[in-house]
Amino acid sequence: WGTFQIGSFYLGQQRGSTTFNMDVVNDGLFTAGPPSTNPNELTNSLNFDNAVTGDGTIEVDANIVTFNVSVAQGQTVAFTGGYLPSPFNNPALVLNDVQEFGAVVSGFEQNGQSNDQIIVNTANWSYQTFVGGEAGGALVFSDGVAETSVHLAGVYDPAKFHAAVSGSRTTITYG
């Protein structure tokens, strides 16, 4: 396996999942394209199984983006609201290694037309709170000994964050 270095990647009208089983250096834009409005079609998803580095943006749009390992500072994961969500799925950022997520999340529930979700898949880290500031804040998770954060750009009311836990999965929503 090698390294996938790219300026831009657009999944377009293809339906289903694209998985990157190599390191990705993203200095441009990754986007999965428009969601399906057909219940018999898969939603678009981008899955990253190895490290993501660089200074680029990965758009969630109305799709699903999953990170199984580290995402470096310098990356932005954007809920753009560029497409209305499919009636069959919600825009979702899935983090399977939350303590290795260094990117900034922008646009999370900031467009008023979607049901954005941040899903943390781990029994080890539990959601604690949102700590806000003037230009953003952080969703704070704890494993009982240490803390880790998912940084959000934008203005948020801490009281509007909700965490639903099902088994080892925590789904964060806002509103």
Side-chain angles (χ1 to χ4, degrees), residues 4-174:
F4 184 70
Q5 188 164 358
I6 190 159
S8 293
F9 177 84
Y10 176 67
L11 188 56
Q13 297 298 322
Q14 175 182 335
R15 294 285 172 235
S17 175
T18 298
T19 299
F20 295 91
N21 294 322
M22 64 199 79
D23 291 346
V24 172
V25 179
N26 175 26
D27 286 321
L29 174 67
F30 269 78
T31 185
S36 175
T37 57
N38 180 341
N40 297 317
E41 289 183 342
L42 296 170
T43 187
N44 289 342
S45 66
L46 295 173
N47 303 299
F48 297 90
D49 286 344
N50 286 40
V52 179
T53 60
D55 292 316
T57 298
I58 299 169
E59 289 183 346
V60 176
D61 286 326
N63 300 293
I64 300 169
V65 175
T66 301
F67 294 103
N68 292 311
V69 293
S70 66
V71 181
Q73 292 178 352
Q75 289 294 301
T76 300
V77 176
F79 287 87
T80 61
Y83 301 103
L84 289 175
S86 164
F88 316 107
N89 68 285
N90 292 317
L93 167 61
V94 180
L95 304 176
N96 292 326
D97 199 357
V98 68
Q99 70 272 20
E100 295 296 326
F101 185 77
V104 171
V105 177
S106 68
F108 182 67
E109 255 335 318
Q110 297 287 294
N111 57 41
Q113 60 187 0
S114 62
N115 296 310
D116 298 344
Q117 299 177 343
I118 297 175
I119 299 169
V120 176
N121 281 324
T122 177
N124 298 332
W125 295 92
S126 59
Y127 175 71
Q128 301 299 303
T129 190
F130 176 80
V131 178
E134 288 183 26
L139 299 167
V140 179
F141 294 83
S142 174
D143 69 356
V145 177
E147 290 185 342
T148 191
S149 300
V150 174
H151 297 278
L152 303 180
V155 178
Y156 295 94
D157 176 351
K160 291 186 177 182
F161 282 97
H162 307 282
V165 178
S166 178
S168 63
R169 180 182 192 144
T170 301
T171 302
I172 307 291
T173 56
Y174 183 80

